[in-house]
Structures are given as structure tokens and as C-alpha cells.
Amino acid sequence: MLPAFEKLSKILRLEQSRDYQDQAVIGGLEKFVAHWRTTARAETQDPALSRQIDEIADLLSGYAARDQEGRARTVSDILARLEQTLTPASAPPLRKPSPHKPGPAKPTAPTPAPAKPPAPPPPVERPCTGLDAAVTTLPGISTAYATRLRHLDITTVRDLLYHFPHRYDDYSTLKPISHLEYGEETTIIGTIWETTTRRSRGGGTIVSSIVADASGTIEAVWFNQPYLVRQLRTGRRIVLSGKVDEYLGRLTLQSPAWEPLERELIHTGRLVPIYPLTRGISARWMRRLMKRVVDHWAPRTPDPLPEKICERLGLLDLCAALQQMHFPDDQKAAKEARHRLSFDEFLLIQLGMLRQRQQWRNQQGIPLPRNQPLLDAFVASLPFELTPAQKRSLEQIVTDLEGDKPMSRLLQGDVGSGKTVVAAAAMLMALAAGKQSALMAPTEILAEQHYRTIAKLLATAPEWGLDRPVSIAFLTGGLRRVERRKVYTALASGAADIVVGTHALIQKHVTFKDLGLAIVDEQHRFGVAQRAMLRGKGGTPHVLVMSATPIPRSLALTLYGDLDISVIDELPPGRKPIQTRWLLRRERERAYSFLRSQVEKGRQAFILFPLVEESDKVEAKAAVEEYERLKESIFPDLRLGLLHGRMKVKEKDAVMDRFHDGEIDILVSTSVVEVGIDVPNAAVMMIEGADRFGLAQLHQFRGRVGRGPHQSYCLLLSDAASPDDPQTKATWERLKAIEDTQDGFVLAEKDLELRGPGDFFGLRQSGLPALRLASLSNVRVLEQARAEAQAIFAEDPTLNRPEYRLLQEQLDQFWQGKNDLS
Ligand code: ADP
Ligand code: MG
């Protein structure tokens, strides 16, 4: 027997002789056991024994809170286990790292250090403390398990602590057995009458226990877990949770979760955390591990938020939040925990943004003076009048350009709201000041579209009083080398005033003579870093980023907290609203004949197969299959095209070009069709599986039609078979909104309200640190965090005060250099 077992056994006998007053050791058994566990674990490398140690330690947690009877049961249970380990069959009696055991035995401490703190020993190579230590430093985590955990992005103790359940199952309602009803999820407490084993027809083992309480009995069965016979001993009191099933007219519990009654209820009898799992990691193992990690580490995780802030905002402290997030006392506590933890996330984002903004604003900019006559002449040359929103945005931009701080502005406007003219006007101001400008778009197609538009818009500049014709270059990765070289030279020498292009613009060969303005279109497609690289092509150029993704103001202020924001919140007059209809699955045929009738009128159509999972592969497969089916059996006489994310850039561009030129009637596509794509003749957008998407997202898809003079239509195909089942009804009511409004901002607000901020974050993933909680939180948390970040920043922008020291550290860790872009 391990020395630690002997010691514990002595202490427990003492406890017995003192009538379970919890006075056998100073500070109580519960405290003692944390220490004991570490010591005991250091004495053995045998996994079976290690498991024993953990289980014994688990049995003792919650000891202090038990009544005398409960304590007595615990003590006798443990003593029985300790005795069992004496029998050679159950485990070889290892005393110290045994000499007969070869293998990679570490030359670690041969004797357990007697007074070690309960923290696991740090790894030898890299002395990092506790929370940032590798998971393998935890007792019971082998390298095999560490590898599996890595699949969940867990490598350190901190990662574990922040590996949150994605939901809880509520087993907190205990019921007498006689009250059980078929089909309900329930928890019962009972005594085992007998446990038997039999063979199933398939040759497996069935373990069956009859469990009784004062009101009645029920049979519980488990499949292919023969070892349970030894654990489910007659007379044992256990807690069972699971779904009540029926077999041959009697109620049963099939493979219920269970545990001995004495234990603090981890798996049963409470809100049970359900963790994201991976292969080789069972729910039970994970919960047990988390329980230990949380019990031990939550109290040892320093709280970066000063107490006064927590108090003022009514937030849980970090320790309580972590504990309640994993093992909540009730739903309310779980909610408060989520609130606190997502608050932290938003606070860090916002502080990072504010820091970034300040770095930019501290730089000296290049003032581009306003040339009002030129501006007026440009506006007068347009075949339409600018909308008030366009005028307002343009004015804000021109004012920024005049200033001596570099502009950092986001121009937000729904698809078709007319951002391009505004951008062109800004470029004109750069031209007038003798500076160059660059416009970067996410794809070749969009870049080319912009190139043509800008060239057309600025072609007559000399007539407006500009001293020279405008030279515009086009640069993408698709150009031949010679062509590219020419552009490089023109930009470096200043021969080109403007360049429009793709990522190719931020390659290292590209240098500018004098870049005054950098514009990024569809900015969510680029990361913060790419934006910064474009900025880096000049001294401190003004930067304008454009986005067609309507984002509610509260969210935009957080996500784009480093930018000033202009919004074009109206469409040019005279646009026909896109007629939008929800259709049931069985109405698909109708949709097809509608498409056909539109094609017969000379229009073109999209059929979109967007999938929720962001897997190109799966999405592409679905689209390819559907394309084949449509081509063969639905529209054999029409010209169909196919577009998906697994195609090469060249292939995609070729298809898009053909669609643009009217050589394709119906384009079957995944969500890769560009947001900004301009095909005026496309009048129908049909979206499959539409009810799986948020309103803002659907609105984006819809925005790819309705750009020409024709009445356009959007058909939203639902997965639902009938509108009557309650769940469908709820979804439909939410989604009905899109039939009634064309305003992306209204839809986005609604989405935010209904689905929380999480869905929006994907849009900017490339630039943001991973967010674990955003999807679980709500707007209120977001706004609270923003206000607090501003208050903290106003008070101490460098976070140098002692009370913010931890916060500053966390901020650096959270962003890990992502924010250092100046
Ligand atoms: P987006 O904001 O989606 O980039 P664009 O700049 O591509 O929108 O503009 C969409 C279309 O609307 C273009 O054909 C453009 O010429 C036209 N447009 C822009 N502003 C106005 C306006 N004030 N009145 C009428 N048409 C306009
Ligand atoms: Mg655009």
C-alpha cells in the first residue's frame, strides 16, 4: 500500500473514533485531501492507482457540508477502497517509482515532498506557473489525453478553465420512482436491490440493476459495460439521471448517468455541464477533470477586474464566475457567470481598439486640402444627385482628409447604397493634392469592377480644373509578370496616381512614391493586419474602409472601435424593393417554374446553396450535386453555371465573367458569390435552406440582385415541411421581417436583438482574437463593457496603475501583438 494510503487510512480511523466531527486533521479533511492527492499521485505511476487516488479525493470533497450519517458513509466507503488496494489482484503495491518498471520513468523526486503546496509541479523545461502550465502537469492527464485535448484547442490549465460547457442538462429535479413518467428526463435516488448480468441477443452484455426508493422500484440497464456489476453492489445508494424509457410495458432507465450518493453530485442531481468533446474524451471523464480543475484553479485565478468595478456593475468576481459557468447552482447563476465572462471578452476587445485608435491618432498625418470647386464639378458630372446620406459621409471624409491626423474611417452602407462614388470623390482630393491613392478589393472580379467604375468616374477630371489627366493602374495577382512590373514602376515613380487591385497591392514589391489615401472595400474580408499592411505602404496615409455589411451601431462601435464611422443609411431613390417570399419545401417546384419564366423574359438567376458550416468542401459538394441534378432533370434546356469555393480563382473568374456577360442563365453557387458583385440583369435570387440563416446574412445574399432596372425577386426556401409546427412557426415569424423591409440596418438590429452578437463576429474573425463567449451574450453586456472600457481608458490609457496591472497583462495576452500595427 502506498504510504499516502496508509496515512489517509490512519486519519480516517481517527475521524471514526471522534464521531465524524471533521477534527482528525487541522483545517478539516477537505483541505487535507487536496494536499494528500498531490502527495499520493507523486508516489505512483500506475494509472489504476492514480484513478483510485482521484476517486478517493473526489469522495472527500464536500465532506464538511455533510451530516454525520453522510460523513460516516464516506469514511467507510473510502476505508473499504483502501483495503481493497491491499489485495494484490487489484493493484500491484507500488511504493516508490519501482525499480522493476523500466520505460521512460522520469528522474523526478524519488520521495514525495512532504510540505508541497497543492499546486501541480511545473514542467521542468519551461518554468511557467500554474495556469499557463501544460495540462500534463495536472494529475491524471497523460500525454495521450493531452493530445486529445489539443483537438479542443486546450493545451494549458488556463485553456481548460476557459473550456466552457455549451449547455447544461437540468437534472436538478429529483422525483420519487412511483411518480416517473414515460419520456421524461429525471433524476432519482435509490438503493440497489440487486444487479445481474445477461447476454443480449447481439452477444453484448447487459447489466441490469433493480433500484428502489420508498415509493417503488425501477430497472436500470447498461449495455456492454460488464465492469458495472462490481460497482453497482447490492445495498449501495446511488443517484441516477436519464430518460425514462419503456420495455415490455414497464418503465426503465436506459444507460442512465449514475454515481454513488455520497459524492458531491457532479454528473447528476444538478445542472450538468455538457462540454464540447472530441474523440477519446468521454463526457464523464471531462466533467470529472473539469470539476477538479475548477475546484482547484478557479480560486487561484487572479481577477483582472478591480473589485470596485465588479461591485459597481454588479458582476460576479472571476472565481465565482468560473465556478458557476462550469457547475452552476441554478440557471440564474449560470447566466450571471456568462455575463461576467463575456463582459471580460468585450472589455478586452474594446480596450484593444481604443489603444489602437490612440496609436494612430498620435501620428502626424498628411493634410489633403479641400478643393471645393473640383469637388463640386465632380458631383455635377454625375448622372444622379447624391443622396443626403452620401453627402453627409462625403463631408465627414473630406473634413478628415484636411486634418493633420491620419483619417481612420469606416464607411458603412448597404449593398447598392453608393459607396463607390464617395470613395472616388475622396481619391479626387488626394489627386488634387498631388498624392497617390490605392483601392483594395477582396477579389479579382470586384477589383476589376471598381477599376472600370473609378476610371469612368474620373475620366473627365481635367475638364473640372485638375491640372493633368488621371492615370489609373490595375494590379492583381492574375496579371502577367511584365504587366505587374510596369505597374510597380509606375507606382514607385509616381506616374500612376491611382491603383485599384487585390491583395497584390500589399505584396512587398509594391512601393508608392507618395501614398496619401488607402481605401479597403468589403473590409470584413480582410484582417486588421492586411489593412495595416496597406496603410504601411505610405508614410501615414489616410485610411478609409468600406463595408456593405450593416452592423448595428452598438456592435460597430465595439468591432470597429478603432475607427470613426460614417453610415450611408438610405438607398438612392427609385430603387424597386426586391420582392421577397418564404416558401415551404414542397413549394420548390413552383419556385423552379418561376425562375424559368424569368429566364424566358431574358433575366438571369442565382440559386444559392449556402451551408452553415464553414467548410468549403462540404459546401462545394452540395452545390456540385445540386448543379448536376438541376442540369439534368429540371433545367436541361437552360444554360447553367456552377461556382464554389473549391474552384481555382481563374475558374471562378471565368464563370463570373460568363454570368456577367449573359452567357449563363442560372448560376448555381455556394455563398462565395461576392457581396459587391454587380450584374444588373440578375433578377432572381433563390436561397436553399434559408431558415438556417440570420436576417442580416439573408439580406446580404439578397443584395446580389436588384441592381438593374428590372423588378427583382428573392425566394427563400425553407427546410420546413409545414408552417404549423411550433418551432417552424417561431422561426418563420422572426424571418418574416425580411419580407417586409429592405433596410439592412433594421434587419441587423433585429438579428442582434434576437440572436446576440455572436453571429456578427465571424465577419471579422481574421482580425480578432478567438471569442469564446460572444455568441452567448447580449447587447447589454456589450454596451456595458464598452462604456467601462472608455471610462478606464479615459482615466488611465496606459493601464499603468496598480489596480489595472493585471488587466494590462491580460490585454496584451489577448491580442498577442495583433493590435500593434502602427
Ligand atoms: P455599393 O455601396 O454597394 O458599393 P455602388 O457604389 O456600387 O454601391 O453603387 C450602386 C449603384 O448605384 C451604381 O450603379 C451607382 O452608379 C448607383 N448610384 C450611386 N449613388 C447614386 C445616387 N445617389 N443616385 C442614383 N444612383 C446612384
Ligand atoms: Mg461596392
Side-chain angles (χ1 to χ4, degrees), residues 416 419-420 446 449-450 521-522 546 548 676 707:
K419 294 182 291 293
T420 320
L446 285 181
Q449 197 172 293
H450 273 313
D521 190 27
E522 302 307 347
M546 305 198 287
R707 302 184 145 239

Side-chain angles (χ1 to χ4, degrees), residues 420 439 441 443-455 474 500 521 656 660 674-679 707:
T420 320
L439 170 58
T443 65
E444 304 237 340
I445 299 170
L446 285 181
E448 206 178 315
Q449 197 172 293
H450 273 313
Y451 171 71
R452 287 199 216 109
T453 313
I454 302 279
F474 177 62
V500 180
D521 190 27
M656 254 350 271
H660 195 273
E674 285 315 327
V675 176
I677 206 73
D678 204 357
V679 183
R707 302 184 145 239

Side-chain angles (χ1 to χ4, degrees), residues 345-362:
E345 234 169 39
F346 288 134
L347 186 76
L348 292 175
I349 294 178
Q350 186 67 26
L351 281 172
M353 290 294 180
L354 289 170
R355 191 166 69 175
Q356 173 77 80
R357 180 186 165 82
Q358 196 194 35
Q359 278 171 14
W360 285 344
R361 293 202 63 86
N362 281 343

Side-chain angles (χ1 to χ4, degrees), residues 624-692:
V624 171
E625 279 167 12
E626 272 303 312
Y627 168 74
E628 297 294 343
R629 187 181 71 86
L630 291 167
K631 206 167 85 162
E632 262 151 46
S633 41
I634 312 284
F635 303 116
D637 52 329
L638 300 184
R639 297 167 302 170
L640 266 59
L642 172 67
L643 194 70
H644 63 73
R646 301 279 275 190
M647 288 163 59
K648 295 206 183 76
V649 174
K650 275 222 166 71
E651 295 167 348
K652 276 194 274 194
D653 284 358
V655 172
M656 254 350 271
D657 280 345
R658 282 172 50 217
F659 189 60
H660 195 273
D661 297 343
E663 291 164 21
I664 290 173
D665 300 314
I666 298 177
L667 184 60
V668 179
S669 171
T670 62
S671 52
V672 299
V673 183
E674 285 315 327
V675 176
I677 206 73
D678 204 357
V679 183
N681 193 46
V684 189
M685 168 62 68
M686 171 170 164
I687 304 172
E688 291 277 353
D691 39 13
R692 280 171 285 165

Side-chain angles (χ1 to χ4, degrees), residues 118-134:
V124 191
E125 326 77 58
R126 204 166 55 95
C128 56
T129 47
L131 279 169
D132 294 309

